[in-house]
Amino acid sequence: MATGSDTVLFDAAAHGLERIFSFALSPDGRALAMGGSMKDSRRAIFVFTPPGGLWEIHSGSGRPFMVQPWTPDAQQILFTIAGPQPHPLMRIGATGGTPIDMGLPIYGWTQVNWLSLNPDGTRVACTAGEPGAEVWMMNNFLPR
């Protein structure tokens, strides 16, 4: 923003992606996590590290994965699965692995209203209620 110039950070088509549903910048600013779809209609979570490294860390053929914030240590990425509410809140390692259900159902439109973590990860804010018109805060969110 300081320079006022536009820069393309990521070109989805150049990487074989059809669409990006959501994204989140890592806490250190060195990587971008994205939920998107491939040209073969698979849905996936990707991690992009400039100048050009793209890794698929999780995929499926069902509903879109909505990337939420990274954990403060940049080791895990939170995500929700779009579709009927509530949306399950999941986490996955930044290098991949098996997703873990965090046991927190999220009500509201996580396709539009993302979760927000405070810098140390102890509190999370998310939408709740019908139709997602309330913002709730949960303390002691991530284990220490």
Side-chain angles (χ1 to χ4, degrees):
M1 288 178 45
T3 66
S5 64
D6 292 336
T7 302
V8 175
L9 176 63
F10 180 78
D11 182 350
H15 287 87
L17 301 179
E18 185 173 84
R19 183 173 178 199
I20 301 297
F21 300 116
S22 59
F23 62 90
L25 187 63
S26 65
D28 61 9
R30 296 182 182 176
L32 188 66
M34 297 174 280
S37 62
M38 306 292 289
K39 290 183 179 175
D40 65 3
S41 298
R42 269 183 319 117
R43 310 296 171 92
I45 298 174
F46 306 92
V47 173
F48 174 70
T49 305
L54 181 70
W55 294 272
E56 181 180 312
I57 63 169
H58 181 65
S59 67
S61 60
R63 300 176 297 185
F65 301 112
M66 305 307 296
V67 169
Q68 303 294 338
W70 295 61
T71 56
D73 62 5
Q75 298 299 305
Q76 298 185 66
I77 300 162
L78 303 180
F79 69 96
T80 53
I81 302 171
Q85 294 188 38
H87 302 156
L89 179 62
M90 311 289 286
R91 66 183 162 122
I92 190 168
T95 58
T98 303
I100 297 169
D101 188 332
M102 298 193 63
L104 179 63
I106 304 294
Y107 292 86
W109 299 96
T110 61
Q111 300 94 313
V112 177
N113 303 312
W114 291 295
L115 302 174
S116 182
L117 288 178
N118 71 327
D120 67 6
T122 59
R123 290 183 290 170
V124 62
C126 60
T127 57
E130 293 294 330
E134 301 170 343
V135 176
W136 289 25
M137 177 73 70
M138 179 183 295
N139 292 315
N140 303 317
F141 177 63
L142 291 177
R144 291 203 168 266

